[in-house]
């Protein structure tokens, strides 16, 4: 069996939509994504704004990374909307706590992975890599 593409290969042209309502958390996530050498990162403040951005620029994005707890439209509501309209869009959920209820709800609605905050660049990088390799293998 051939090994999958490397992190550098998968991330070199990756375009990510980062959905997070907390400005400090956005800065941290953007820094981590830059450390991972992901060149294209757009941001949205909540799920509703993210859906507007996705509808206007769908071909542009290859991954959604979303916070769970946001005003207007939660990460779970966004996940459901993305799965309905773009079933194969890779989606990673960020959360402050991975309770059993969270994990069950996220999995039942098709999340590809979740990362508990705070996270290291290595943790997020490994989740992104696993999700993208899994999508490529399908």
């Amino acid at each position: 069996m051939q090994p999958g593409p490397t992190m550098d290969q998968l991330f070199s042209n990756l375009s990510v939509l980062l959905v997070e309502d907390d400005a400090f958390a956005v800065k941290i996530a953007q820094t981590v994504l830059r450390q991972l050498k992901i060149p294209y990162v757009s941001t949205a403040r909540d799920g509703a704004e993210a859906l507007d951005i996705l509808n206007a620029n769908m071909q542009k994005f290859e991954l959604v990374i979303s916070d769970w707890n946001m005003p207007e439209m939660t990460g779970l509501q966004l996940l459901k909307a993305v799965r309905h309209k773009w079933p194969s869009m890779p989606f990673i959920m960020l959360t402050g706590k991975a309770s059993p209820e969270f994990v069950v709800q996220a999995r039942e609605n098709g999340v590809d992975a979740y990362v508990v905050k705070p996270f290291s660049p290595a943790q997020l990088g490994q989740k992104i890599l696993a999700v993208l390799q899994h999508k490529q293998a399908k």
Side-chain angles (χ1 to χ4, degrees):
M1 186 172 168
Q2 293 285 334
T6 66
M7 190 178 282
D8 286 345
Q9 291 168 327
L10 282 172
F11 292 5
S12 65
N13 290 307
L14 188 63
S15 184
V16 174
L17 178 58
L18 173 65
V19 189
E20 171 65 70
D21 63 313
D22 180 88
F24 183 68
V26 168
K27 293 265 187 254
I28 291 170
Q30 285 177 317
T31 299
V32 168
L33 293 170
R34 265 196 303 278
Q35 289 173 346
L36 293 170
K37 298 184 174 106
I38 293 174
Y40 309 108
V41 179
S42 298
T43 59
R45 290 182 300 270
D46 60 51
E49 184 180 359
L51 272 183
D52 289 344
I53 291 170
L54 286 170
N55 279 316
N57 304 285
M58 186 47 221
Q59 285 11 53
K60 181 178 174 183
F61 297 103
E62 295 139 317
L63 174 65
V64 175
I65 300 175
S66 177
D67 187 25
W68 174 273
N69 208 359
M70 299 178 290
E72 302 298 317
M73 178 185 248
T74 67
L76 183 61
Q77 291 168 320
L78 175 61
L79 173 61
K80 289 176 182 179
V82 167
R83 283 293 165 256
H84 177 74
K85 194 158 185 181
W86 306 285
S88 64
M89 169 66 74
F91 198 109
I92 296 174
M93 191 77 74
L94 303 177
T95 182
K97 57 186 182 305
S99 68
E101 299 82 26
F102 161 83
V103 173
V104 168
Q105 280 190 304
R107 286 215 173 114
E108 284 177 350
N109 287 283
V111 77
D112 292 293
Y114 62 90
V115 178
V116 179
K117 297 188 266 185
F119 50 83
S120 70
Q123 288 171 311
L124 185 58
Q126 286 304 316
K127 291 285 185 171
I128 294 170
L129 182 62
V131 165
L132 296 178
Q133 286 177 333
H134 180 74
K135 289 293 182 182
Q136 271 198 347
K138 282 188 170 181

